[in-house]
Amino acid sequence: MDKRISALAIAIQMGATIYDLEEAELCYAPQFGSAKDPVNFAGMVAANALRGDMPLSHWDSLNGAFLLDVREPVELAVESVPGALNIPLGQLRSRIGELPRDREIHIICRSAQRAYYATRILLQNGFNARNICGGMLSRAMHSLGDLID
């Protein structure tokens, strides 16, 4: 962790941009980590959002939105969003005809990773789609914040 904090600290000191983070060449050892460091991934996620490659939405701006939940049905037994259509990610391409082309689609999963893939699939097929930031994990935090206020 200290390595990543140091990398970000030096990037800030040098005036680096999000785009610099996604392209940063950082030292790694294969037995301890991957070639793409979390610092790179943070830059990639932010750059995708800034470039418009990954349209995002947030829980507090979804009033009346069309919600697509791409989690597996067994996950819905733990937590679900009322009114959301469930099409597991693995079935999305074969069931794409069930989705409205005239509405913006906001996509949910547990942590937003599967929603990322689903958003890419829908965008490539001409849909107006957005990934809900943080998925169900951020919804839990958002709800917790409402209880504290």
Side-chain angles (χ1 to χ4, degrees):
M1 182 53 93
D2 66 326
K3 171 188 159 190
R4 292 179 181 105
I5 293 170
S6 294
L8 291 171
I10 195 70
I12 291 168
Q13 288 175 357
M14 297 183 72
T17 68
I18 292 298
Y19 307 106
D20 295 325
L21 292 180
E22 72 178 330
E23 297 297 329
E25 293 290 337
L26 301 170
C27 180
Y28 80 101
Q31 66 271 31
F32 299 113
S34 65
K36 291 293 183 192
D37 190 86
V39 170
N40 296 120
F41 280 116
M44 289 179 212
V45 169
N48 280 344
L50 291 174
R51 281 192 293 264
D53 293 340
M54 180 50 50
L56 302 174
S57 61
H58 303 275
W59 286 106
D60 57 1
S61 63
L62 296 177
N63 297 335
F66 185 90
L67 302 175
L68 173 63
D69 192 329
V70 294
R71 295 177 295 155
E72 294 298 319
V74 69
E75 294 175 88
L76 301 181
V78 176
E79 60 187 349
S80 62
V81 177
L85 173 64
N86 176 239
I87 300 178
L89 179 60
Q91 299 174 19
L92 185 57
R93 284 185 175 91
S94 64
R95 295 178 58 190
I96 206 163
E98 297 176 34
L99 299 172
R101 290 197 172 269
D102 61 342
R103 292 187 68 189
E104 190 171 69
I105 301 171
H106 298 263
I107 306 168
I108 312 161
C109 71
R110 178 76 180 138
S111 65
Q113 182 177 2
R114 287 174 284 180
Y116 169 85
Y117 296 124
T119 302
R120 297 298 309 154
I121 290 168
L122 294 183
L123 289 172
Q124 291 168 0
N125 282 278
F127 287 87
N128 185 359
R130 292 184 171 276
N131 185 343
I132 299 176
C133 290
M136 293 300 289
L137 292 175
S138 69
R139 181 175 187 241
M141 296 307 292
H142 188 275
S143 298
L144 182 60
D146 289 344
L147 291 174
I148 294 171
D149 290 340

